[in-house]
Amino acid sequence: MKGSTYRRCSCRDPKSGKELGSACPKRNSRNHCTYSIRQELPPREDGNRRSFARGGYANLKVAQAGLDHVRALLGLTEADDPEGVQLIAAMLAEVGSEKLPLPDVEETRRRLRAGQDLVGSLTVAEWLDRWLAGKRIRKSGISRYETDVRVHLKPHIGHRRLDRLRVSHLSDMFTAITDANAEILEQKAQRPAAVEELATTPWKGVANRARRKAMKAAIDAMPPSRRVTGPAARQHIRATLRAALNDAIGQQIITFNPAAHVEIDPVRKLKALVWTDERVAKWEQTGEKPSPVMVWTPKHTGAFLDFITEDRLYAMWHLIAFRGLRRGEACGQPWSETNLDRHSLTATGQLVQDGWEVEASEPKTDSGFRVVALDDDTVGVLERHREQQGADRAEWGPAWVNTGLVFTQEDGSWLHPGKVTDLFERLVAASGLPPIRLHDLRHGAATLMLAADIDIKIVSDTLGHSDTRITRDIYQSVLPHVGKSAAEATAKLVPLQRKAEQEAQVRQAAEEAKKAAKAKAKRK
C-alpha cells in the first residue's frame, strides 16, 4: 500500500485566506515548512478507501520514522487474517481522526492477540465495571463487590490506568481510608457534644435564644453519620480488587497484581468465649460482654430452650442449638430434604438477604452441601412441628403459601432472616440469660459436640466447614470442665517424684487419722 512523506507550508494569503503552498516565498527556507505523512490503509468492508494522515513533523527524518511506525502497525497482521487487518486499519483511522499518539507496536501486538480494544488505555474504573458485569455469582455477593467498587475503589484509584496501577497507589488508598476513619470518629464525637450543649443552654433571654439558633444551625450543617471502614472491611476491599486484577491477568491485560502485595492491618480473628459464672457476674454488674462472640454453657442452652418451649419457632431454635445450622440454612430448609424416618436432613440451600430483600440461594461453598444427622429428641421436636404446620395449613386454607419449607411464617411464606435474628434477640433478653447472637447458638452446638468428645472431622462436616482447621481456629475455647479434664489427663502422664511423695504423705496422714479415730472410739 502506498505511503509517502512531503513538505507542507501552512502560510495563507492575507487577502483570500487560502494556503500559499508552493507559492510561499519562504518555502525554501530550511526551517520554515513542516513535514507530513500519508499512508494508504486497507479499504473498509464496503470497499471505501481510507488513509492515515498526520502533519507537524519537524524534519524529514522524524516524518519518515512516523511513517515507519504506521507501517509496522499494519504489518502486525497477515493478509489471510481479514479480521485482524480490519481491526488495525480501524485503529489507525481512529488514531488519525482523533489526533491520538500512535500506539506502541508491541503493546498493540499483545492486545490484538488477547482480543482487547486496540485504542485507548483502560482505566481501573472501566475494568472494574467490565469485571462486575461479567460476574456470575449470587446477588448478595455482587452487591458486596459493587459496594467496595463504588464506595472505595473508584473514588480512590478509578482514574488510574489499569496497566500502570502500583502497590504505592493502593497503600495511599488505604492510608486515605484510615484518615477518613479518624475524621468520621471525630465527627461522631462532635454531634453528641453539640446536642448535649444545646440541651443545657437556657431558653430564656435574647442571647440564649440566638445562641441556641446558631447551635441548631451548626448541628444541622454537620455531615450525616457514617460507618468507619474497619480492618475486616479493608481486607474485603483488597480481596475484591485482587480478584478483579487476577481476572485482568488471566485475560492478559496486565501482568502484575499490586493488590497481592499491598500490606494492610491484619484482622484479629474473634475467638468464642464461654459464659462462665465469673463472666456472667461481671456482665450483670457492668452490662459489658467479654467478647463479641460468646457461647452458652449446656445449662444456659437448656434454660433457654425450656423458656421458649411455647414459641412457634421452637423447633428451629432447637435444631440450630443442637445441630449448628446457619440462620439462612434453617430458614431455607425444605421438607423434601428432611428425612425424619432416617434421622437426617440434607442442607442444599439457604435464604439470604440482599439489603432487606430475601432470595433463595445455593450454599456458599461445596462443603455447605452436607447431610446432618439428627438425634431422637430433635426428630421428635420436628415431628411435632410438622403436625402444627399441618394444622396451620388447614386453618389458612386457600390462603396458605406452599413454599415447602420446614420453618415458615404463619401463612407458610418465607421467613425473613433479619426478622428471625430480631426475634431471637428479643427471646434472649426476655429469658434473662447472658446475651449471645443467633450465630453464637451455632457456635454453642459446635462446642457441645467437642465437649461430647466428637471427632473434629465429624464436627467440621456437621457445621459445613471446608477444613477442620477452620473448626479448630474458631473453637479453641471449649467448655471449662472439658479443658480441666484434658489438663488432668495430661498431667497424669508425667511421673514426678514430688507428686509420689505428696501422695505417700496423704496416704500416711489418712491412715494415722483412721487409727486415731479407732483409738478414740475404744476409749469411749
Side-chain angles (χ1 to χ4, degrees), residues 159-433:
H159 63 286
R160 297 194 178 276
R161 278 182 51 167
L162 183 64
D163 57 346
R164 293 182 181 175
L165 189 64
R166 298 291 179 261
V167 174
S168 59
H169 299 149
L170 305 189
S171 297
D172 292 343
M173 176 182 70
F174 285 111
T175 299
I177 290 174
T178 302
D179 293 343
N181 283 343
E183 183 180 349
I184 291 170
L185 292 174
E186 183 179 352
Q187 291 171 354
K188 283 187 174 181
Q190 288 175 350
R191 181 179 292 273
V195 171
E196 184 178 354
E197 185 179 355
L198 177 63
T200 58
T201 302
W203 287 83
K204 295 182 179 181
V206 176
N208 286 334
R209 286 196 294 271
R211 184 183 177 192
R212 290 182 62 87
K213 183 178 180 180
M215 292 172 63
K216 286 182 178 179
I219 292 172
D220 292 339
M222 289 181 179
S225 180
R226 294 177 292 164
R227 295 176 60 182
V228 297
T229 305
R234 294 197 291 272
Q235 290 284 355
H236 196 275
I237 294 166
R238 182 177 69 169
T240 297
L241 181 61
R242 184 172 182 173
L245 297 182
N246 277 339
D247 283 359
I249 291 175
Q251 296 185 30
Q252 298 182 334
I253 299 174
I254 56 176
T255 58
F256 173 72
N257 190 339
H261 300 278
V262 64
E263 293 185 2
I264 59 177
D265 296 336
V267 178
R268 185 176 64 87
K269 293 184 178 179
L270 297 174
K271 301 298 182 182
L273 297 181
V274 179
W275 274 114
T276 60
D277 292 341
E278 294 79 9
R279 289 169 180 158
V280 172
K282 185 176 180 180
W283 164 73
E284 290 175 342
Q285 291 176 355
T286 65
E288 297 178 359
K289 292 172 62 176
S291 169
V293 183
M294 297 301 298
V295 178
W296 279 336
T297 64
K299 182 179 179 180
H300 291 141
T301 302
F304 176 73
L305 293 176
D306 288 340
F307 177 78
I308 61 167
T309 302
E310 302 302 320
D311 186 76
R312 191 180 65 84
L313 294 176
Y314 171 82
M316 184 172 69
W317 312 127
H318 182 105
L319 183 62
I320 296 174
F322 282 94
R323 296 285 78 197
L325 264 65
R326 298 177 176 90
R327 179 187 69 173
E329 292 170 344
C331 292
Q333 180 64 29
W335 279 115
S336 60
E337 296 297 334
T338 307
N339 194 324
L340 300 184
D341 293 333
R342 295 185 179 179
H343 284 59
S344 69
L345 63 81
T346 305
T348 59
Q350 57 180 335
L351 296 184
V352 296
Q353 285 184 231
D354 178 27
W356 192 245
E357 298 296 320
V358 181
E359 63 178 6
S361 173
E362 293 183 344
K364 188 175 182 180
T365 61
D366 290 341
S367 56
F369 288 93
R370 64 194 188 281
V371 177
V372 179
L374 303 176
D375 58 278
D376 291 340
D377 187 39
T378 300
V379 168
V381 168
L382 289 173
E383 286 176 340
R384 290 190 293 273
H385 175 76
R386 184 166 56 183
E387 292 173 0
Q388 181 58 50
Q389 192 178 71
D392 293 340
R393 183 187 296 108
E395 183 178 347
W396 280 82
W400 175 263
V401 181
N402 190 20
T403 58
L405 299 182
V406 177
F407 306 112
T408 66
Q409 296 190 53
E410 290 86 343
D411 64 348
S413 57
W414 285 356
L415 288 171
H416 192 292
K419 294 181 179 179
V420 168
T421 295
D422 293 341
L423 174 59
F424 177 78
E425 291 176 352
R426 290 197 299 271
L427 291 173
V428 172
S431 70
L433 292 166

Side-chain angles (χ1 to χ4, degrees), residues 496-505 507:
L496 294 175
Q497 183 63 33
R498 170 180 53 78
K499 291 175 63 177
E501 292 175 354
Q502 288 176 345
E503 290 173 356
Q505 292 174 357
R507 286 195 298 271

Side-chain angles (χ1 to χ4, degrees), residues 111 119-123 126 161-164:
R111 290 189 175 209
V119 180
S121 299
L122 201 62
T123 65
E126 290 168 343
R161 278 182 51 167
L162 183 64
D163 57 346
R164 293 182 181 175

